[in-house]
Amino acid sequence: MRDVTYPPIIVTAKAAFKALGQRIRLSGTEHVPREGGVLLAYNHVGYVDFVYGGLAANPSGRLVRFMAKRELFDHRWVGPLMRSLHHIEVDRGEGLGSFHTAIDYLRQGEAVGIFPEATISRAMELKEFKTGAVRIAAEAGVPLVPVIMWGTQRMMTKDHPRDFSRGKTIAITVGEPMYPTGDDPVGDTARLHAQMSQMLRDTVAAYPADEQPPGSWWVPASMGGSAPTLEEAARLDAEDKRERARKRAEKRAKKTKR
């Protein structure tokens, strides 16, 4: 693919990280192959995960094409940028098209990024995974590489004000690849979840203690933080879903009256 926009975006992002005094901690990046198709599976804790997720593949010289919700592509300014970076539009109501696009990208030797949780985790720990990641990797015949990001939620996530103050540590951990065959997508998804859950615990434990005092809102309740539990987060997600449905219904009703 011809990339005109991506390289300067990376330079700009790294300059921004430096200006913010951020310490980027990368580990396990050798697990990202330098060539050939590869699917990277990320946890999802904040709105800026897309910005930092590509760093996992940067030491290998790869550009990651993220699978992202359609709403971003519909945005007046963000949409053209997303398309110029060759990211993949995902329609949650009809995901078959993005499924095949991802497979095509991987067969062309691209690095593709996916969030198996589909949405941000308010609990800051892994939600239930969709089976799409292992099915895409199996169909394309490529390795599935797990990636954990930590610290991005401190800047911008659900239910909390934005905080782009200086000096934050951003930790990115890359794990050993899986090679799904397609014979047992449910079992492979469970194994991916278990592997990434352990990676998350290890990454949280290794995070600078002076930046992560006991009871921090961005740390899972199961790890000593005050983030909602998975059950509480599920309730909040359901409330959000109902509210979005209500607003859509009101919008349709107004159009009908016109």
Side-chain angles (χ1 to χ4, degrees):
M1 293 181 180
R2 185 167 179 266
D3 284 290
V4 176
T5 310
Y6 221 141
I9 286 289
I10 291 173
V11 172
T12 302
K14 287 183 175 180
F17 303 158
K18 187 174 182 180
L20 289 169
Q22 294 179 345
R23 293 170 291 276
I24 309 295
R25 291 188 173 184
L26 300 175
S27 62
T29 56
E30 69 277 4
H31 294 306
V32 180
R34 291 186 170 275
E35 58 184 24
V38 58
L39 183 63
L40 294 94
Y42 295 83
N43 69 317
H44 203 3
V45 290
Y47 291 112
V48 295
D49 289 345
F50 290 99
V51 179
Y52 291 84
L55 291 173
N58 194 240
S60 297
R62 309 299 299 272
L63 301 177
V64 182
R65 320 297 180 176
F66 283 99
M67 301 182 71
K69 61 183 181 180
R70 185 187 64 189
E71 288 82 353
L72 290 173
F73 290 83
D74 290 340
H75 191 276
R76 182 179 180 184
W77 304 113
V78 177
L81 176 61
M82 296 291 284
R83 283 184 282 273
S84 73
L85 299 174
H86 303 293
H87 292 319
I88 301 170
E89 179 179 349
V90 178
D91 184 341
R92 290 175 181 171
E94 177 49 67
L96 196 59
S98 58
F99 180 88
H100 289 300
T101 299
I103 291 170
D104 289 343
Y105 274 34
L106 291 166
R107 286 175 174 169
Q108 293 171 34
E110 295 290 336
V112 173
I114 189 171
F115 294 92
E117 298 166 277
T119 59
I120 289 173
S121 172
R122 283 181 159 102
M124 304 300 165
E125 55 185 311
L126 300 180
K127 300 167 64 174
E128 181 180 351
F129 280 8
K130 310 296 184 184
T131 59
V134 298
R135 290 189 293 111
I136 289 171
E139 185 69 23
V142 301
L144 175 58
V145 177
V147 183
I148 291 294
M149 291 183 286
W150 193 249
T152 56
Q153 73 272 38
R154 297 175 62 194
M155 288 177 279
M156 191 176 178
T157 192
K158 290 182 177 180
D159 307 327
H160 294 277
R162 299 177 184 182
D163 179 8
F164 288 93
S165 56
R166 289 175 51 82
K168 292 180 176 63
T169 295
I170 306 299
I172 300 174
T173 305
V174 184
E176 295 184 3
M178 290 178 56
Y179 296 89
T181 63
D183 295 332
D184 183 13
V186 174
D188 283 341
T189 298
R191 284 185 282 276
L192 176 65
H193 192 283
Q195 181 181 358
M196 291 181 66
S197 292
Q198 185 60 55
M199 289 169 58
L200 176 61
R201 287 190 289 271
D202 293 343
T203 303
V204 173
Y207 199 76
D210 61 337
E211 293 186 53
Q212 190 167 263
S216 297
W217 64 259
W218 58 84
V219 178
S222 63
M223 301 179 203
S226 58
T229 63
L230 283 168
E231 292 75 20
E232 291 168 341
R235 177 180 57 79
L236 293 169
D237 288 346
E239 289 176 0
D240 277 357
K241 188 174 181 179
R242 287 193 294 270
E243 180 62 15
R244 289 195 299 270
R246 184 188 66 79
K247 289 181 178 179
R248 286 195 297 269
E250 288 182 351
K251 190 175 181 179
R252 286 195 297 269
K254 287 180 180 178
K255 287 183 178 179
T256 301
K257 289 180 180 179
R258 291 175 188 172

